[in-house]
Amino acid sequence: MIKAFFGNWGGAFRDAWRFAAALPLVFAAMITIEFAQHCVEVKLGFFSPDSAVRKAAAMEPLRMAFGWPKMLIVYALGFVAIRYFVTGDRREALRPSAHAVGRYAWVAGYQLIIAAIVIYAAPILGLFGVGESGVMPLRLTVSLIQQLAEPLLFLWFVNAAMGTNAYGPLASARVTRWFYVWGLLLMFVARFPFGGVHQLLNRWPAGKPSTILWPALAIDAVVVAIMVTVLAAIQVRIARYIADRRGVPLLGDAASRDVIGGTVRAA
């Protein structure tokens, strides 16, 4: 199990490299959209040396208006990446059925709800008469719950992306069982370094001259693209490992079928 842990951790980076080589425009789109958001943030003063200006810029309508579509694009790229890691075929990855899109919309919706609670924690708490003191505890609690729940849902994520009806959230959790701990640790080891670097590159450049600010933001855009791809690879690897160890097919049984890339395939 330890060997499989590190093998899958290292394998996810190899998977990400293959994805970037097979679908360079998709990978570049992730870099571009992240850097475009940084351009908006710079314009709004998000990287100002004044902390009050930065705080105000964080909730600017323009930043929010740009941020939500960006998140949808991130989920779409994750969707394509999962399909590539399952099929190994770039054409299959880019040709999902309507059913697969509909199924994965529920996955994206779940993630968007979590994001909305984190982003709008202050106004949400305001509805219940809770002040600023409760904002950070709510954000940390919701984020922690999401991180802890994710490994239970990876079979759902993968099957939704592939358009099968084999696993919903509850079925995914039932199959995962105690492999949850293994998956949680693997996801943590994969996510933590990227999350740390991403946070650093969003805070450290504040107030720095343009010669430092723009290269840092460009590096961050690349880091985010790699992070999204690696985490999608980890999700597929965890789901596959759990399915193998539990003796069940990754994409459900032969009764679950869908049209993938124009070809009817057993799930």
Side-chain angles (χ1 to χ4, degrees):
M1 186 174 286
I2 294 176
K3 182 179 179 180
F5 183 94
F6 289 105
N8 280 291
W9 177 76
F13 289 90
R14 294 192 297 272
D15 293 345
W17 173 258
R18 286 194 291 268
F19 175 83
L23 293 162
L25 294 180
V26 176
F27 189 77
M30 181 69 257
I31 298 173
T32 302
I33 192 67
E34 183 67 22
F35 189 74
Q37 184 178 32
H38 286 325
C39 292
V40 172
E41 290 170 338
V42 170
K43 180 179 176 63
L44 294 174
F46 189 74
F47 296 98
S48 167
D50 187 330
S51 60
V53 173
R54 293 199 303 271
K55 184 176 180 181
M59 296 302 291
E60 275 283 341
L62 179 59
R63 182 171 184 260
M64 292 294 102
F66 195 92
W68 286 109
K70 187 207 82 167
M71 291 182 67
L72 290 174
I73 291 172
V74 169
Y75 297 145
L77 294 175
F79 171 65
V80 171
I82 288 174
R83 292 178 59 82
Y84 177 77
F85 295 136
V86 172
T87 65
D89 188 314
R90 62 181 182 177
R91 291 185 180 84
E92 296 279 6
L94 293 171
R95 294 168 58 193
S97 66
H99 184 62
V101 173
R103 284 272 285 155
Y104 200 77
W106 288 99
V107 175
Y110 156 76
Q111 294 172 320
L112 282 170
I113 289 172
I114 297 295
I117 294 173
V118 171
I119 293 170
Y120 296 110
I124 290 172
L125 289 174
L127 295 174
F128 299 95
V130 179
E132 285 288 327
S133 61
V135 171
M136 189 54 67
L138 176 61
R139 286 174 172 167
L140 291 175
T141 299
V142 172
S143 297
L144 180 61
I145 290 172
Q146 180 191 25
Q147 306 266 341
L148 293 176
E150 271 191 352
L152 294 170
L153 304 175
F154 288 155
L155 280 165
W156 172 42
F157 287 11
V158 170
N159 278 266
M162 298 308 301
T164 80
N165 297 314
Y167 298 101
L170 294 180
S172 178
R174 282 197 298 269
V175 172
T176 301
R177 292 188 185 177
W178 67 272
F179 287 110
Y180 161 79
V181 176
W182 187 90
L184 178 66
L185 291 174
L186 181 53
M187 179 55 74
F188 176 79
V189 169
R191 175 184 278 135
F192 181 75
F194 286 110
V197 172
H198 178 51
Q199 289 298 319
L200 176 65
L201 291 172
N202 272 268
R203 294 177 180 176
W204 174 74
K208 299 291 192 299
S210 296
T211 52
I212 295 176
L213 174 64
W214 288 109
L217 297 182
I219 292 170
D220 181 60
V222 176
V223 167
V224 168
I226 296 172
M227 176 173 66
V228 170
T229 310
V230 168
L231 294 184
I234 285 287
Q235 289 176 7
V236 174
R237 283 178 168 271
I238 290 174
R240 181 176 285 121
Y241 179 81
I242 291 170
D244 289 346
R245 295 300 293 266
R246 297 280 290 133
V248 298
L250 173 64
L251 300 181
D253 57 35
S256 177
R257 294 176 180 270
D258 185 34
V259 178
I260 302 175
T263 304
V264 179
R265 294 187 169 189

